Structures are given as C-alpha cells and as structure tokens.
Amino acid sequence: MAENTFNFELVSPAKKLMDSEAFQVTIPGEAGDIGVRKGHSSLVISARAGVVEILREENGKPERLFIAGGFADVTANNTTLLAEEAVPVSELNRAELEKELTHLNEDLVSATTDIEKRRVERKLFVIQAKLKAL
C-alpha cells in the first residue's frame, strides 16, 4: 500500500466491484457527501442514491460509479461500501432510463395500495438519481 492510499472495497449483492488502493473516495452520504482519505476517523454511514467518485492517485481522473444507496464502514486504512446496486456511470443509458421513468410514472398512477405506491416511488427515486448522475 502506498504511503497516502488506503484500501477501498465496493460490494453489491451481485458481486464485488472493486477492491483496490485509493487516494480519495467521495461517498454520497444521507447527511451529505463525505470525502475519505487515509487516516480518516472510524465511522459507519448510510449512503444515499448517487455517485461515488474514486481517485486512485492524488491528481488522477476520478472513476464514477452510481450506487442506489447502502452503508459504508470507514477506518483509517480501509473503507468498505456495501451498495444496494452499483453500476459505472458510463454504463447508464439516458434513453433507457427515461423510458423506465415513463413506465414507473404510469405504475404510480395505477398503484392501488400504499405498499405499491412506496415501492414505485423508491424505484422512481433511484431512476431520477441515475438521470442526475449523467
């Protein structure tokens, strides 16, 4: 491990997406974005739907991954982000997301129970966050 880097793991239910050294990781926390570097104080945070940015080196280009929420465990030398869903922003397709948004709005109108409405609203929230990430 380099002197100014820490280990970063990103895990989704489908697979481990990343396990590598990072200089800085920015996580979309429920209370606001949090930047993590080596030596950060230990904490556990709830992550909201949004973009995680990973800098592997100080002046590098950030890698951007969309997450649909989750939790992060931060220590001085390791950060693990457990995401409900994770996908590189470059793989998001605006046309497909807009089509899905239309279908979900139709589903919301036709939802008959509170449970159905909450399920559709959660999906709408995630799709809107993906569109914002683009």
Side-chain angles (χ1 to χ4, degrees):
M1 183 180 324
E3 186 176 309
N4 62 353
T5 62
F6 62 96
N7 186 60
F8 175 67
E9 294 177 281
L10 175 58
V11 181
S12 76
K15 64 181 178 179
K16 183 183 278 191
L17 293 157
M18 187 173 289
D19 186 359
S20 66
E21 297 299 306
F23 172 75
Q24 179 175 308
V25 176
T26 304
I27 300 169
E30 288 290 345
D33 291 354
I34 181 170
V36 177
R37 289 189 177 179
K38 183 174 182 167
H40 197 287
S41 299
S42 295
L43 60 101
V44 174
I45 64 165
S46 178
R48 71 178 192 286
V51 176
V52 175
E53 289 192 344
I54 301 105
L55 285 174
R56 292 187 189 267
E57 53 192 41
E58 187 169 1
N59 296 316
K61 183 179 177 190
E63 294 176 51
R64 300 179 75 231
L65 294 116
F66 174 83
I67 63 165
F71 293 91
D73 179 23
V74 178
T75 66
N77 294 311
N78 188 58
T79 295
T80 301
L81 177 56
L82 305 172
E84 294 172 21
E85 172 190 355
V87 61
V89 171
S90 61
E91 293 180 13
L92 297 175
N93 181 300
R94 182 173 300 280
E96 288 178 13
L97 291 170
E98 288 174 348
K99 184 177 178 181
E100 190 171 350
L101 185 64
T102 300
H103 292 300
L104 287 169
N105 279 316
E106 292 168 357
D107 291 348
L108 185 59
V109 170
S110 65
T112 57
T113 67
D114 287 343
I115 292 171
E116 280 182 286
K117 287 178 184 176
R118 283 194 298 271
R119 181 186 55 80
V120 174
E121 286 170 344
R122 172 66 181 151
K123 289 181 180 181
L124 276 167
F125 177 78
V126 171
I127 294 300
Q128 290 166 339
K130 285 179 178 180
L131 285 166
K132 186 178 177 182
L134 293 172

